[in-house]
Amino acid sequence: MRSGVSIVTLQEYEEVMGAQKLYDLLRSFSCPLNREVELYLKDTSRAVQSSRMSSSVTYLAFDSKTNDLLGYFTVMMKAYSVKSDALNSANKRLISRFSEIDSSGNFTASVYLIAQIGKNFALPKDYQIEGSELLWAAMDVFRATKSAIGGKLVMIEREAEEPKLLEFYKANGFKSWTTRRNAKDGVVYDQMFASL
């Protein structure tokens, strides 16, 4: 990550700066390429409540000199379940080391999940953070967690119809495993994994 970037949790920011400053900061975030990523942070009840309930942790990336919000990522642990026949032999071998398999052939494992990630497009282009910098900051969080409690697999989901995201995640060490269809909106998601 470039120098001059500081990473703090949303909860730490709120404790130091107060709720109103936090809400003002979050409302300044813009991510027109992915409305869901933008709304998760701007609809403060979602990001703040998830952090308060410890169901996930949102990290904010700041420019250390200007204190501009550069971007954010939200991470959590997730139970991942996949049918054995949906995986190739290499992926079966990998997940079998970290999972249980039930009588119907489903693997279930705890994985690290990057639930949300996005950079702030409200800043001038020259001041924006690179997406790969945010991704690797999230991976650093998982590396620290791995040394404390173990774990190996990091998952991220992308809309299957977004080829630019496929190339971006592949370039940063992720590979496609399976897909899932969201029952609510019918969107197909490519479930991608990287190893720590």
Side-chain angles (χ1 to χ4, degrees):
M1 180 172 302
R2 70 182 181 197
S3 62
V5 175
S6 59
I7 306 288
V8 299
T9 68
L10 183 146
Q11 201 161 8
E12 290 168 334
Y13 186 89
E14 182 178 21
E15 288 169 6
V16 172
M17 303 302 289
Q20 190 57 54
K21 283 211 181 234
L22 173 66
Y23 298 151
D24 292 344
L25 173 77
L26 300 183
R27 281 192 286 273
S28 73
F29 181 82
S30 175
C31 188
L33 299 179
N34 189 323
R35 189 86 170 121
E36 173 62 26
V37 166
E38 181 176 322
L39 290 177
Y40 181 80
L41 202 59
K42 287 179 106 165
D43 177 4
T44 54
S45 64
R46 293 172 66 191
V48 172
Q49 289 304 321
S50 293
S51 289
R52 287 180 181 160
M53 294 185 323
S54 296
S55 59
S56 65
V57 178
T58 295
Y59 289 82
L60 306 172
F62 291 95
D63 183 297
S64 300
K65 292 179 183 171
T66 65
N67 289 323
D68 287 329
L69 176 62
L70 299 171
Y72 84 99
F73 57 90
T74 300
V75 296
M76 62 190 298
M77 292 294 297
K78 179 172 178 66
Y80 174 69
S81 183
V82 63
K83 291 184 186 219
S84 177
D85 59 4
L87 299 173
N88 64 34
S89 58
N91 289 345
K92 283 181 193 176
R93 279 193 304 276
L94 178 61
I95 200 169
S96 68
R97 292 184 228 151
F98 308 100
S99 65
E100 295 181 11
I101 189 164
D102 64 22
S103 60
S104 60
N106 292 330
F107 288 102
T108 301
S110 291
V111 299
Y112 299 115
L113 173 68
I114 301 173
Q116 301 284 344
I117 188 167
K119 67 181 188 176
N120 190 359
F121 286 88
L123 299 175
K125 187 157 181 59
D126 291 348
Y127 294 102
Q128 293 175 11
I129 194 168
E130 293 294 323
S132 57
E133 293 178 273
L134 284 175
L135 187 60
W136 285 104
M139 297 298 277
D140 285 344
V141 168
F142 295 137
R143 285 184 196 95
T145 304
K146 176 186 175 186
S147 69
I149 64 168
K152 180 80 172 171
L153 297 175
V154 177
M155 182 172 102
I156 194 159
E157 292 186 323
R158 66 163 191 94
E159 289 186 27
E161 294 184 11
E162 292 291 337
K164 284 185 179 179
L165 285 178
L166 175 63
E167 294 309 312
F168 170 74
Y169 290 127
K170 280 178 142 183
N172 283 283
F174 284 80
K175 65 179 186 171
S176 295
W177 275 39
T178 58
T179 59
R180 76 166 182 89
R181 179 177 297 279
N182 185 322
K184 291 180 184 174
D185 58 16
V187 174
V188 175
Y189 290 94
D190 181 13
Q191 296 178 320
M192 303 184 76
F193 282 87
S195 296
L196 291 173

